[in-house]
Amino acid sequence: MTNKYESLIVYFNGEFVPWEEANVHIFTPFTKYGTAVFEGIRGYWCEEAKKLRIFRLEEHMQRMETSQKIMRFDEVISAVVMCEATIELMKRNNFRTSVHIRPTAYVDGDGESSAQGPIGSFITAIPRGTPKRVETGCTAQVSSWERFSDRAMPARAKVNGNYNNSRLSGIQAKIDGYDAAILLNNRGKISEGQGMCIFLVRDGVAVTPSVTSDILESITRDTVIRLFEGMGVEVQQRDIDRSELFAAEEAFFCGTGWEITPINMVDGASIGDGSPGALTRQLQGVYFDLLFGRSTDKWSWVTTV
Ligand SMILES: Cc1ncc(COP(=O)(O)O)c(C=O)c1O
């Protein structure tokens, strides 16, 4: 394994330990079946204030509590414990760059797939900035892989095993020459990207699949809805047909990892004029101003370390 992270401190079952000391046994249901839940959270380094600004830390940790409940874990590692541990982890690593934080709660021990405990937890954080695609926009393919139904796997929970669906659709998109996949659900309606939610703009109205469309209940999606409200833009949460992709004047992905990424083209057809749309650009401005502290955080979404 690469040792590029060897100087990192990680949080592992209640302690802060060097990277090489954080190991999980191969007999755990976590390694055997992917029985774990996790979060992806970003912290933005603000150079002027010399502070790290963690975005919606509490909401992420609360979603991780919900994911643990849905997955019937014996013990739920609380959001309060995980928030405190995250803040301490930032201090111990003394980051001076933007970071990606990844907390996990997993089934430890040597049980089989229905084991409900014991529960372990860890948090890692690595330097990570905003990818280029946020500026340039990306291309997408409507995947032949279907987003799994909530009747098969809990779509609204961030369960490690769920990500094999993301993996296969993401690989297929890459092989076919696209940057990303858009998955339809088992009703044939647009669900989400392989690791992010989607919005279209139609006649100036922002539309996004509802939370009962087999999506992850995305925190960035919620952020976008609230920012649009503040910008006076109507938002509809509803079923979206595939052909609406080609009728839209703008489209973008949103998520912690994908931030606000314009979609320039779907299945080889341009969205609008094939470059990031005006409303998407305006939203990006409002979003990044908030993350980097250039505007007022009236929702108290940012934890400053
Ligand atoms: C499958 C999936 N959908 C949507 C999202 C967006 O969720 P969030 O905005 O909470 O990061 C993610 C994670 O980033 C995801 O993995």
Side-chain angles (χ1 to χ4, degrees):
M1 196 199 297
T2 169
N3 63 357
K4 69 178 172 180
Y5 300 126
E6 68 186 353
S7 61
L8 287 180
I9 302 291
V10 304
Y11 172 84
F12 189 50
N13 289 323
E15 294 184 29
F16 295 91
V17 301
W19 173 83
E20 70 271 14
E21 287 176 25
N23 298 299
V24 174
H25 201 276
I26 56 169
F27 268 33
T28 60
F30 177 28
T31 54
K32 287 189 293 198
Y33 307 108
T35 317
V37 302
F38 73 107
E39 282 298 321
I41 308 168
R42 277 189 189 264
Y44 292 86
W45 177 249
C46 182
E47 186 55 37
E48 298 75 51
K50 303 268 183 278
K51 295 275 184 203
L52 196 57
R53 296 169 57 83
I54 308 175
F55 192 57
R56 303 196 72 173
L57 174 63
E58 254 179 65
E59 289 89 339
H60 278 282
M61 294 308 191
Q62 274 158 8
R63 185 172 67 187
M64 204 167 96
E65 270 195 16
T66 306
S67 295
Q68 292 173 79
K69 286 181 196 154
I70 290 173
M71 289 305 284
R72 315 287 296 264
F73 283 13
D74 265 351
E75 178 202 352
V76 171
I77 311 282
S78 83
V80 173
V81 166
M82 293 306 261
C83 285
E84 280 172 6
T86 301
I87 292 166
E88 182 59 24
L89 186 68
M90 297 304 107
K91 291 180 183 162
R92 296 218 181 191
N93 280 292
N94 198 24
F95 289 116
R96 288 286 177 275
T97 57
S98 293
V99 293
H100 185 260
I101 304 162
R102 196 182 160 103
T104 298
Y106 64 96
V107 179
D108 207 347
D110 60 359
E112 291 306 326
S113 62
S114 56
Q116 292 176 265
I119 304 302
S121 64
F122 58 84
I123 310 170
T124 61
I126 57 170
R128 184 177 292 173
T130 291
K132 225 172 152 200
R133 62 181 178 230
V134 170
E135 182 53 34
T136 59
C138 71
T139 62
Q141 168 190 59
V142 177
S143 187
S144 57
W145 288 99
E146 186 176 285
R147 172 71 177 169
F148 53 84
S149 140
D150 194 65
R151 295 175 71 179
M153 298 279 274
R156 63 176 38 70
K158 203 164 164 76
V159 180
N160 291 51
N162 287 356
Y163 282 79
N164 287 305
N165 183 241
S166 306
R167 172 184 164 77
L168 292 170
S169 56
I171 290 173
Q172 188 63 55
K174 200 160 57 179
I175 288 171
D176 292 346
Y178 298 89
D179 302 317
I182 296 170
L183 290 97
L184 307 182
N185 62 20
N186 73 348
R187 294 183 293 109
K189 304 297 178 187
I190 292 175
S191 180
E192 59 176 3
Q194 82 267 26
M196 56 285 194
C197 285
I198 188 169
F199 280 77
L200 308 184
V201 180
R202 296 206 59 196
D203 298 326
V205 174
V207 291
T208 192
S210 71
V211 289
T212 49
S213 307
D214 303 308
I215 64 167
L216 179 73
E217 289 182 355
S218 154
I219 290 159
T220 317
R221 174 185 175 281
D222 175 71
T223 303
V224 168
I225 290 170
R226 306 235 224 145
L227 294 181
F228 269 149
E229 268 167 23
M231 292 161 65
V233 175
E234 184 190 340
V235 179
Q236 292 175 357
Q237 302 178 53
R238 61 163 175 84
D239 276 353
I240 302 179
D241 285 332
R242 177 182 189 160
S243 59
E244 292 190 74
L245 286 167
F246 308 106
E249 59 253 29
E250 298 185 31
F252 61 87
F253 288 124
C254 74
T256 300
W258 286 70
E259 299 172 309
I260 310 290
T261 299
I263 306 172
N264 297 337
M265 204 174 257
V266 175
D267 289 344
S270 294
I271 308 251
D273 67 1
S275 61
L279 192 59
T280 307
R281 282 289 189 230
Q282 202 189 332
L283 175 70
Q284 284 182 323
V286 174
Y287 185 72
F288 285 106
D289 279 353
L290 175 63
L291 300 179
F292 284 100
R294 296 186 290 260
S295 63
T296 309
D297 173 20
K298 63 179 182 196
W299 303 270
S300 301
W301 279 339
V302 176
T303 303
T304 305
V305 183

